Amino acid sequence: MQQKNLLASNMKQGIAIVDYGSQYTQLIARRVRELGVYSEIFAPSSSLDKISSFDIKGVVLSGGPTSVYDSESPKVNSEILSLDVPILGICYGMQTLVNELNGDIERGEKGEYGFAQIKFKGSSPLFKDVKDKLKVWMSHGDRVEGAHKNFRVIAKSDNNIIAAIEHTTKPFYGVQFHPEVTHTQDKNKILSNFLFSISNCNNAWGSGDFIEESVSAIRSSVGDKKVVCGISGGVDSSVMGKLLYMAIGDQCKFIFVDHGLLRKNEAEEVLDSISNGLGLDLSVFDYSDKFFNDLKGVEDPEKKRKIIGKNFIDAFEESTKKMGKFDFLAQGTLYPDVIESGFSGLGKTAKIKSHHNVGGLPSRLKFDLIEPLRDLFKDEVRSIGEMLGIEKSLLLRHPFPGPGLAVRILGEVNRERVAVLQDADSIFIEILKKMGEYDKIWQAFCVLIPINTVGVMGDCRTYEGIIGLRAVVSIDGMTADWYRMPSEVLEQCSSRIVNEVEGVNRVVYDVTSKPPSTIEWE
């Protein structure tokens, strides 16, 4: 099983990002591209020849989960320091840069995680036109204790920890915080300063380039062979399907596997939006009996995900045999799926949860894998979908997990519990749309909590289940804040769900951000 990398790489100039395994590495690339600058991600072990495959105007060293003192921690390739281009080290990237230049890194007794206040010391081109004090996002244990004599400290946190440094003779910079995350104030200004004022990049790259290069790469990779594509009806698979159809037309056939874990009436809606709306040749296969049978008695979320992932692969394999011979399998995998599963393909990231479409394809399958959106984030995919002419109602649809409602049902998954959640979720989304809240929210859904509580309905005692409401705002899904839902909306949701959904007598609202929580409950 071979993955085809369909992200364009023949741009004239851009930024090289060295991946040390951070959850935010691709977010750095996404921010750079958002500012109109091309970027590529490389492993720390990449040779200088590989890194220099395009006109590099600057290098960013990403964060990472390890300590520079760990025996197997990745180091800065000393050849990178000889490229004679600006370098920006972020978090671990800053620490390993300082360590390479003989500075001191201290194992922190007390780390900084979450928001922190930093104050600048003197002036620096990295912080040109940035406020003297900033609220930033920290996530580190170790810290720079003593920089090399040629570095000067240009910012410290309120905890008196070095927050940013600058080389006195070379365009080398380091920041202990994460300028790429939405929580950091003036994040785009800091990155813009590095890209344009320091690295002298131009801002000539955009979504149009991605579409053109992806279509060309798909045609080149596929030739006259055939592709089978898994479709869910969501934004990602719809955009991918449109790209594939633009590139190779009827050489691609589309499969929709109904695992019984969809939202209410979703199977019919997917068939209509894909077949009639996008004009794609979609075949539907119902495997719900097999999924529910294999999930019986399973409560552990990782086991549920693995069972669903295996069944998806088996379903695709069986379905494709019914449809003919295919050489390629296409999937709408996005980068948040990849990094949460611990597969960056470059630096190893910490595993948060498995995704059925990431890293789980067995070698017995006889086709190669195409994932044209693998390096993108949801908002980028929506932008590309808009350029492809896909209807706005589909593009603004909230994300839906591959395992479906199985990861929104805590505990065992069966048809009865799915039906309860479907009814509650349908009411929640209906109210959000009616009250004008849906498009303000990144993702909203219900969770079925396996706890009964005492209630009173019709003067009688009840002992029934709980529905949790979850709504978050985000740009890319990597970080998210809970949505401040108007009380009148919550009131309607609670009243209707308790009165209309059998087996539920209590509704609660989740007010936790990501991090520390994930968006989904499992």
Side-chain angles (χ1 to χ4, degrees):
M1 183 63 59
Q2 180 181 357
Q3 178 196 339
K4 303 294 184 181
N5 183 3
L6 299 178
L7 186 64
S9 59
N10 58 349
M11 302 299 166
K12 293 181 180 179
Q13 64 166 242
I15 295 293
I17 300 168
V18 181
D19 177 17
Y20 292 103
S22 170
Q23 300 294 332
Y24 300 135
T25 297
Q26 189 68 14
L27 185 51
I28 302 170
R30 182 224 161 304
R31 295 286 183 236
V32 172
R33 295 201 300 266
E34 183 183 59
L35 292 167
V37 177
Y38 177 68
S39 63
E40 280 194 43
I41 300 177
F42 299 91
S45 59
S46 297
S47 67
L48 188 59
D49 286 343
K50 184 174 182 179
I51 295 175
S52 303
S53 60
F54 65 102
D55 182 12
I56 295 176
K57 305 297 290 185
V59 174
V60 175
L61 309 178
S62 85
T66 58
S67 167
V68 294
Y69 294 115
D70 293 344
S71 59
E72 297 183 1
S73 65
K75 310 298 182 185
V76 175
N77 183 344
S78 59
E79 292 182 325
I80 290 178
L81 304 180
S82 67
L83 281 175
D84 195 29
V85 297
I87 295 175
L88 173 63
I90 296 175
C91 199
Y92 177 85
M94 168 182 168
Q95 295 169 11
T96 192
L97 176 64
V98 169
N99 188 61
E100 177 68 22
L101 297 176
N102 302 313
D104 297 324
I105 307 299
E106 182 179 276
R107 291 184 182 271
E109 296 181 2
K110 181 180 179 181
E112 285 184 308
Y113 301 96
F115 286 115
Q117 189 89 8
I118 66 170
K119 185 175 182 179
F120 300 120
K121 299 169 65 68
S123 62
S124 168
L126 187 64
F127 299 128
K128 180 183 176 183
D129 298 328
V130 175
K131 293 177 292 188
D132 289 339
K133 290 184 178 181
L134 279 187
K135 191 178 182 182
V136 300
W137 187 258
M138 293 280 195
S139 182
H140 69 95
D142 293 351
R143 63 189 187 188
V144 174
E145 179 63 23
H148 185 274
K149 63 181 181 180
N150 288 329
F151 278 102
R152 69 183 184 92
V153 176
I154 54 176
K156 281 195 172 185
S157 73
D158 284 348
N159 294 329
N160 203 36
I161 291 176
I162 295 175
I165 56 174
E166 174 185 291
H167 200 281
T168 56
T169 60
K170 297 181 179 181
F172 294 171
Y173 302 85
V175 292
Q176 188 60 69
F177 59 92
H178 288 272
E180 69 274 23
V181 303
T182 57
H183 299 321
T184 293
Q185 292 178 327
D186 280 349
K187 59 185 183 300
N188 282 347
K189 187 61 182 176
I190 295 169
L191 292 175
S192 292
N193 285 338
F194 179 74
L195 295 177
F196 304 118
S197 299
I198 296 172
S199 301
N200 295 316
C201 294
N202 62 42
N203 59 344
W205 191 84
S207 299
D209 298 289
F210 176 86
I211 293 171
E212 181 181 348
E213 294 292 335
S214 293
V215 168
S216 175
I218 291 170
R219 287 173 179 163
S220 176
S221 296
V222 173
D224 59 357
K225 296 178 181 179
K226 292 185 177 181
V227 179
V228 61
C229 174
I231 287 285
S232 68
V235 177
D236 311 331
S237 62
S238 298
V239 171
M240 177 193 62
K242 190 75 171 181
L243 277 173
L244 287 165
Y245 191 74
M246 285 178 60
I248 57 176
D250 292 337
Q251 288 175 246
C252 188
K253 303 298 180 184
F254 299 91
I255 289 178
F256 174 69
V257 172
D258 184 356
H259 50 23
L261 303 168
L262 302 170
R263 289 166 286 202
K264 195 171 185 177
N265 302 321
E266 189 165 26
E268 295 82 2
E269 292 173 0
V270 168
L271 182 59
D272 180 67
S273 64
I274 299 300
S275 296
N276 300 327
L278 297 181
L280 305 183
D281 183 7
L282 181 67
S283 298
V284 180
F285 296 88
D286 187 348
Y287 281 85
S288 57
D289 288 342
K290 180 69 165 59
F291 276 81
F292 281 118
N293 183 64
D294 289 355
L295 288 169
K296 187 176 181 179
V298 179
E299 298 186 358
D300 180 81
E302 270 299 293
K303 289 182 179 178
K304 285 195 286 188
R305 285 179 174 272
K306 289 178 180 178
I307 288 170
I308 292 168
K310 179 181 183 303
N311 276 341
F312 256 110
I313 301 305
D314 293 344
F316 272 116
E317 186 175 18
E318 188 173 309
S319 300
T320 54
K321 287 179 180 178
K322 295 177 182 177
M323 297 179 65
K325 184 180 183 301
F326 297 92
D327 302 285
F328 295 89
L329 169 66
Q331 295 187 140
T333 307
L334 299 193
Y335 196 74
D337 303 333
V338 177
I339 58 179
E340 285 188 338
S341 295
F343 290 88
S344 71
L346 300 164
K348 181 73 172 179
T349 60
K351 180 177 179 180
I352 298 172
K353 57 189 178 185
S354 299
H355 289 263
H356 72 272
N357 55 343
V358 180
L361 295 176
S363 59
R364 71 172 185 274
L365 295 184
K366 303 301 182 183
F367 35 68
D368 288 336
L369 181 62
I370 294 178
E371 295 177 313
L373 308 179
R374 184 183 176 96
D375 294 323
L376 301 182
F377 288 83
K378 182 74 71 174
D379 60 319
E380 290 183 302
V381 174
R382 286 190 170 120
S383 175
I384 290 168
E386 187 174 3
M387 295 186 69
L388 292 172
I390 296 176
E391 289 186 10
K392 190 173 182 179
S393 60
L394 179 55
L395 293 178
L396 295 180
R397 190 180 185 192
H398 291 182
F400 189 66
L405 298 181
V407 293
R408 295 176 179 175
I409 295 176
L410 308 189
E412 182 182 359
V413 178
N414 55 47
R415 289 188 183 274
E416 292 74 21
R417 302 190 78 206
V418 167
V420 170
L421 186 56
Q422 285 176 330
D423 288 343
D425 192 75
S426 178
I427 292 170
F428 186 30
I429 300 303
E430 177 191 330
I431 292 173
L432 291 179
K433 290 181 177 179
K434 182 181 69 175
M435 300 291 286
E437 299 293 330
Y438 184 84
D439 290 342
K440 302 175 184 177
I441 298 169
W442 163 268
Q443 192 171 9
F445 55 89
C446 290
V447 178
L448 182 58
I449 304 171
I451 299 174
N452 287 352
T453 67
V454 174
V456 178
M457 299 177 73
D459 293 328
C460 295
R461 178 186 184 274
T462 63
Y463 191 58
E464 296 179 322
I466 304 174
I467 286 290
L469 305 181
R470 178 72 157 148
V472 298
V473 288
S474 180
I475 294 176
D476 41 53
M478 295 302 301
T479 59
D481 194 13
W482 63 277
Y483 183 64
R484 273 62 176 175
M485 191 73 72
S487 59
E488 59 269 23
V489 176
L490 292 174
E491 183 179 2
Q492 280 198 40
C493 292
S494 176
S495 177
R496 284 194 56 188
I497 290 172
V498 168
N499 281 282
E500 297 177 32
V501 180
E502 187 175 352
V504 176
N505 70 356
R506 192 176 299 271
V507 174
V508 298
Y509 189 58
D510 185 344
V511 293
T512 319
S513 297
K514 174 187 180 180
S517 297
T518 54
I519 295 176
E520 298 287 349
W521 277 39
E522 288 193 341

